[in-house]
Amino acid sequence: MDTPIVDFVRGYAQSGTSRLHMPGHKGQSLLGFEPLDLTEIRGADELYEPEGIIAQSEANATRLFGTQHTYYSTEGSSQCIRAMLCLALQAAPRTGKRPVLLAARNAHKALLYAAALLDFDIRWLWPAAENAGALCSCPISAQMLTTALQELTGQGSTPFGVYVTSPDYLGGMQDIRALSAVCDTFGVPLLVDNAHGAYLRFLPGEPLHPIALGAAMCCDSAHKTLPVVTGGAYLHLGENAPVQEEAAVRGALALFGSTSPSYLILQSLDACNRVLAKTYPVGLQRCCSRLSALRGELNTAAQAAGCPVLLALDGPGREPLKLTLDAAALGMTGIALADALRGGQLECEYADPRYVVLMFTPCNPPQDYARLRTVLRQCLHGLPAAGRLPQPEELAGEFVALAQQARAHCTIRQAVFAPQERIPVQQALGRICAMPTVSCPPAIPIAVSGEEITPAALELMQRYGVTEVSVLRR
């Protein structure tokens, strides 16, 4: 596997050429990486009109991922999400009605920003009451999707796309193959936020990557699970993508991207191709096996200690690289468990009132596993008496009341661009949400722009530590 971007930049850095062009550091080291930081000079190609080394590198990635075409992003999956939705909109039939997207409710706020910029409405898919859990999860069955599409079609409002997040922040995965089949039946493209699942392509056995399962388009955050620096991402097109013209795809990416893409990130994506073609799959399989064994070990120990729920979430339909801990099993909050982990020199990816998410990759050394075992043994040793532990029936789903009370007063675009003010969350009941207010991670809006802040939304905001919220100015 060649690395044309890396080779060109290193050759230029070693050439001794006087840099009478941007960037201003001129290759002089302040942090150490500056000699490799370039802009679009002759020979370096252009990300949105590539004919040379970037085109060659993207062709390598396309072969590795088995897609119709894979495009690079240096501005994360957020850029890819906006471009993907823009392309789906361009391909949708013109009906004279406002465009509508059908989307699972646990979407990243990047979707709301795209809706504001592209001016479309969203019809939300909520989880069934029996499957409603944490804010991060929104399992959608093929039957649920079929019913929702039938209802919209019956109203004369066929959506321009169906949008799901898979894997989600807690490691849950949608049945992409089944959802893709439903979308094909209705002639609607399935768009997948696969930000956490770039590695799925390289697992042995049955395919798990969305494109291999029939999705029309998806985005991957390379930097989340692959050896790529922050900001590196992919936009993947499947053979059933509604738009295939390269100029149109690059135009959509350019619409939401900087005219000065980072060559450090491009080199990282380029170098990753060689890793993926050589050692990564073997290391990935070893890492997944180690995590599977660790989940079993932790759950056995927790059960022996009298925990009322699984400590490590496990079972079918879960991605293998996330270790999601249910702090309720230890009689703790997720925030308290995250603090305990920090005391053992372990920093988690995400913690909320109940869960802690730990993201592993083949790059984690053995000491990370050893430290985790040590801290969790200590937590189990100090487990409260069984009577003080929360019982499963007490841990109600967060989406139920939110879904029942949700009510939109204006479009997302109107809310985002309207005059607004920031107020204490205690004063927000009944006000109209302007900008989505939630931390990243998980960046999943509790109240959507244009929606009334209901008692259920207010309760969740307070539970998740939201202290202020942006609302429409009265």
Side-chain angles (χ1 to χ4, degrees):
M1 175 66 67
D2 61 351
T3 52
I5 302 176
V6 171
D7 295 345
F8 173 84
V9 175
R10 287 181 179 173
Y12 184 77
Q14 295 166 6
S15 69
T17 300
S18 296
R19 300 190 183 201
L20 305 181
H21 56 76
M22 298 182 288
H25 55 64
K26 306 302 181 182
Q28 302 303 308
S29 289
L30 297 174
L31 297 175
F33 58 74
E34 287 84 354
L36 302 178
D37 183 32
L38 293 184
T39 187
E40 296 95 332
I41 60 173
R42 181 186 293 269
D45 212 356
E46 295 187 20
L47 179 57
Y48 302 120
E49 295 182 12
E51 297 177 344
I53 58 175
I54 295 176
Q56 295 167 28
S57 184
E58 285 186 343
N60 290 340
T62 297
R63 288 192 294 272
L64 283 166
F65 280 93
T67 63
Q68 195 73 12
H69 202 130
T70 289
Y71 296 85
Y72 288 162
S73 163
T74 61
E75 298 176 53
S77 281
S78 295
Q79 181 186 16
C80 298
I81 286 169
R82 291 163 192 155
M84 179 168 65
L85 291 162
C86 180
L87 292 167
L89 266 175
Q90 289 175 359
R94 295 293 176 262
T95 64
K97 298 181 179 180
R98 284 186 58 77
V100 175
L101 178 75
L102 190 58
R105 184 57 177 77
N106 64 331
H108 190 280
K109 63 183 179 182
L111 173 60
L112 297 192
Y113 295 158
L117 293 170
L118 295 168
D119 195 17
F120 59 81
D121 295 331
I122 302 175
R123 179 73 65 88
W124 296 109
L125 288 163
W126 299 89
E130 63 272 16
N131 294 324
L135 186 68
C136 294
S137 298
C138 185
I140 302 298
S141 69
Q143 183 56 55
M144 290 171 58
L145 179 57
T146 298
T147 301
L149 285 168
Q150 287 173 339
E151 290 178 356
L152 275 173
T153 302
Q155 297 165 7
S157 182
T158 301
F160 69 87
V162 171
Y163 183 98
V164 296
T165 301
S166 180
D168 62 39
Y169 231 108
L170 298 186
M173 297 178 66
Q174 305 279 10
D175 187 347
I176 298 298
R177 190 184 297 280
L179 299 182
S180 296
V182 173
C183 288
D184 289 344
T185 299
F186 284 84
V188 175
L190 178 64
L191 315 173
V192 182
D193 177 354
N194 185 56
H196 287 238
Y199 74 95
L200 294 174
R201 163 67 181 173
F202 306 98
L203 288 171
E206 288 294 315
L208 291 176
H209 193 271
I211 296 298
L213 296 176
M217 292 185 281
C218 80
C219 68
D220 294 359
S221 285
H223 68 89
K224 285 184 169 63
T225 57
L226 302 182
V228 171
V229 299
T230 299
Y234 309 106
L235 174 61
H236 300 296
L237 270 62
E239 61 182 14
N240 56 342
V243 175
Q244 294 287 353
E245 293 82 7
E246 183 174 346
V249 180
R250 295 202 185 278
L253 285 164
L255 183 63
F256 301 104
S258 170
T259 55
S260 300
S262 167
Y263 270 76
L264 295 171
I265 297 175
L266 288 173
Q267 289 170 78
S268 185
L269 289 165
D270 187 45
C272 183
N273 287 338
R274 177 171 287 172
V275 176
L276 295 177
K278 289 187 174 181
T279 60
Y280 185 80
V282 173
L284 177 62
Q285 187 171 8
R286 187 183 305 120
C287 179
C288 291
S289 297
R290 181 176 290 178
L291 284 171
S292 179
L294 180 57
R295 287 187 196 93
E297 174 189 331
L298 293 176
N299 286 331
T300 298
Q303 186 177 22
C307 295
V309 294
L310 289 178
L311 174 55
L313 301 192
D314 205 357
R318 301 199 58 79
E319 62 153 310
L321 280 192
K322 276 199 182 81
L323 182 61
T324 301
L325 303 176
D326 189 345
L330 303 173
M332 306 171 71
T333 66
I335 307 302
L337 179 55
D339 286 339
L341 293 171
R342 290 187 187 98
Q345 291 186 283
L346 294 153
E347 184 61 39
C348 69
E349 164 64 23
Y350 166 69
D352 68 17
R354 179 171 176 180
Y355 296 103
V356 171
V357 175
L358 309 174
M359 291 179 69
F360 285 80
T361 76
C363 295
N364 283 98
Q367 73 175 22
D368 294 349
Y369 295 84
R371 286 175 173 175
L372 180 61
R373 284 186 173 91
T374 298
V375 173
L376 292 180
R377 284 195 199 105
Q378 293 171 349
C379 291
L380 285 167
H381 181 71
L383 196 66
R388 294 168 53 199
L389 291 172
Q391 298 303 304
E393 59 269 17
E394 299 171 4
L395 303 170
E398 296 175 340
F399 270 134
V400 177
L402 199 62
Q404 293 171 344
Q405 298 175 16
R407 188 160 65 98
H409 288 258
C410 63
T411 70
I412 294 172
R413 180 181 177 87
Q414 287 169 340
V416 166
F417 290 105
Q420 52 192 264
E421 59 183 339
R422 200 164 179 85
I423 62 173
V425 71
Q426 295 87 348
Q427 301 173 15
L429 184 63
R431 300 293 296 272
I432 308 305
C433 179
M435 297 294 290
T437 304
V438 68
S439 62
C440 186
I444 299 167
I446 294 171
V448 170
S449 303
E451 285 183 352
E452 180 180 327
I453 298 175
T454 63
L458 191 64
E459 181 181 345
L460 275 182
M461 288 179 184
Q462 293 173 323
R463 186 179 180 202
Y464 277 82
V466 177
T467 58
E468 292 185 330
V469 60
S470 294
V471 298
L472 300 192
R473 190 181 298 277
R474 286 175 171 167

